[in-house]
Amino acid sequence: MGTGTHHRITLLLLLPLAVIGIFSSSSSQVRANNVRIKPLPSPFATNLATLQSQIGYKFTNINLLRRAMTHASFSQENNKALSIFGAHLIETSVSLHLLSKDIDTSSKALTRLILEVSNVDSSCALDGNRLGLERVIRVSPKTDASNSAIVCGGFRAIFAAVAIDSGMVDEAVKVFWKVHGDRAGRLVSIL
């Protein structure tokens, strides 16, 4: 047998295998395309959904809430800036709440109330713990997510994320009072 004949026989033997391979791979692709596999949500995604229910606000851009629940130890894309903005929103909210009830409130009383509501250990972290943020905030393995400062930072960042997502500070203020409750009203009576 010559070399040309040998190549033709090999080609004739391989051609049916190639055709079978093409059809079998395309039919498995067809089957794979018809089956829709729904990935299970991650525990973090489930926690974010629960958190949205707890605060009574559904995010249009869930990435804002993701960032609000991400500590600097976990990622460079974290909640530091949101926490600062959130702290200012809380202070503004408390000031508005107190002054709208009593415009003659002293600056000392206003400052004391703002400090009380913003205090990491006595108020901010407690509100965050009531929401279970220590189980939601992503931190590095070496970082304790239940640390008051971390929980408070995440708590504050939520309201900044709401303000940015809604485009309205008023929405963030409304969510804050829903979560915090009217403890500021009780604190005002003490002052």
Side-chain angles (χ1 to χ4, degrees):
M1 237 194 304
T3 306
T5 308
H6 180 65
H7 287 297
R8 270 186 256 138
I9 292 175
T10 304
L11 183 62
L12 287 174
L13 290 174
L14 291 177
L15 185 61
L17 292 175
V19 170
I20 291 170
I22 289 170
F23 284 113
S24 66
S25 67
S26 67
S27 65
S28 67
Q29 287 175 355
V30 170
R31 273 185 262 132
N33 289 339
N34 289 336
V35 175
R36 292 181 188 225
I37 300 172
K38 256 189 176 175
L40 294 174
S42 71
F44 185 61
T46 302
N47 288 339
L48 294 181
T50 301
L51 182 57
Q52 288 179 93
S53 296
Q54 289 174 300
I55 66 172
Y57 182 82
K58 175 82 171 145
F59 279 83
T60 303
N61 180 355
I62 194 67
N63 290 326
L64 288 167
L65 185 57
R66 284 181 195 280
R67 182 172 284 226
M69 295 295 102
T70 304
H71 185 257
S73 67
F74 187 83
S75 173
Q76 287 182 344
E77 294 179 358
N78 58 62
N79 65 6
K80 277 185 175 181
L82 290 175
S83 180
I84 293 168
F85 180 30
H88 290 293
L89 286 169
I90 291 169
E91 291 171 7
T92 301
S93 177
V94 169
S95 299
L96 178 63
H97 186 78
L98 180 58
L99 292 173
S100 64
K101 288 186 183 237
D102 183 7
I103 194 65
D104 293 322
T105 299
S106 71
S107 61
K108 184 178 179 180
L110 179 60
T111 301
R112 214 177 352 180
L113 183 59
I114 288 171
L115 290 174
E116 178 63 32
V117 172
S118 301
N119 184 284
V120 170
D121 294 317
S122 68
S123 183
C124 184
L126 293 177
D127 286 337
N129 285 328
R130 276 197 346 263
L131 292 172
L133 297 186
E134 71 279 4
R135 293 183 305 277
V136 181
I137 298 172
R138 298 185 295 183
V139 297
S140 75
K142 296 179 182 179
T143 304
D144 180 11
S146 65
N147 175 291
S148 294
I150 291 172
V151 172
C152 186
F155 179 74
R156 291 171 177 165
I158 290 170
F159 307 108
V162 168
I164 294 167
D165 188 63
S166 67
M168 296 186 310
V169 169
D170 289 352
E171 188 66 29
V173 168
K174 186 169 71 176
V175 171
F176 170 74
W177 287 114
K178 179 183 185 302
V179 172
H180 184 70
D182 192 28
R183 291 190 307 239
R186 288 184 293 244
L187 287 172
V188 169
S189 63
I190 295 169
L191 300 174

